[in-house]
Amino acid sequence: MSVIVTDRGFAPDTHNGDWFDLASDIDPSALGDQLDGAQAIRIAFPAFSDGRGFTLAARLRRMGFAGRLRAQGHVIADQYAMARRSGFDEVEISDELAQRQPEDQWLARANWQGHDYRARLRRTA
């Protein structure tokens, strides 16, 4: 089983369609038209120390992907703000990780927009 993390904490999985699964090391420009019509993309995180999925998410958003984008795997609560800023809508973690990092730890990072240093810089400029 797995747990879905959103800005409101742990939530049930509400996606009923198909996922277009991507490894974190793929070059999205090499996919050509394979993403056409994709409604939901899930990017695998093989290790919490592997940040390539964040870059991939940001690239997909810049390429115009507007569907559901989910990080799946070894993402930790401390990385939640980065996941949201890079374009992910939600994070899917294992039940075991959810036990080690309960919902309150994820909710402590849910205000990902308010704690962004770039927003503070824009306000002072």
Side-chain angles (χ1 to χ4, degrees), residues 49-68:
S49 59
D50 185 348
R52 293 175 295 179
F54 300 122
T55 303
L56 178 56
R59 287 186 66 192
L60 288 169
R61 292 298 189 197
R62 284 193 302 271
M63 291 171 61
F65 180 72
R68 193 174 204 162

Side-chain angles (χ1 to χ4, degrees), residues 35-50:
L35 294 179
D36 291 351
Q39 300 292 315
I41 296 175
R42 188 169 44 196
I43 298 174
F45 278 75
F48 78 90
S49 59
D50 185 348

Side-chain angles (χ1 to χ4, degrees), residues 12-122:
D13 191 350
T14 60
H15 183 70
N16 295 318
D18 293 327
W19 287 101
F20 193 97
D21 288 310
L22 293 176
S24 61
D25 62 350
I26 191 129
D27 177 1
S29 62
L31 294 171
D33 61 354
Q34 292 182 48
L35 294 179
D36 291 351
Q39 300 292 315
I41 296 175
R42 188 169 44 196
I43 298 174
F45 278 75
F48 78 90
S49 59
D50 185 348
R52 293 175 295 179
F54 300 122
T55 303
L56 178 56
R59 287 186 66 192
L60 288 169
R61 292 298 189 197
R62 284 193 302 271
M63 291 171 61
F65 180 72
R68 193 174 204 162
L69 195 54
R70 179 183 287 179
Q72 178 190 40
H74 298 281
V75 178
I76 59 175
D78 285 344
Q79 296 171 315
Y80 183 72
M82 176 61 76
R84 292 291 283 133
R85 282 188 205 110
S86 62
F88 286 106
D89 298 301
E90 57 202 24
V91 175
E92 180 179 347
I93 59 173
S94 68
D95 287 332
E96 294 80 19
L97 179 57
Q99 289 176 350
R100 286 193 313 271
Q101 293 192 320
E103 185 176 35
D104 63 322
Q105 292 184 22
W106 293 86
L107 285 171
R109 284 112 176 136
N111 186 9
W112 56 274
Q113 293 169 319
H115 299 295
D116 183 10
Y117 75 93
R118 294 171 297 182
R120 289 193 308 270
L121 291 174
R122 283 191 294 271

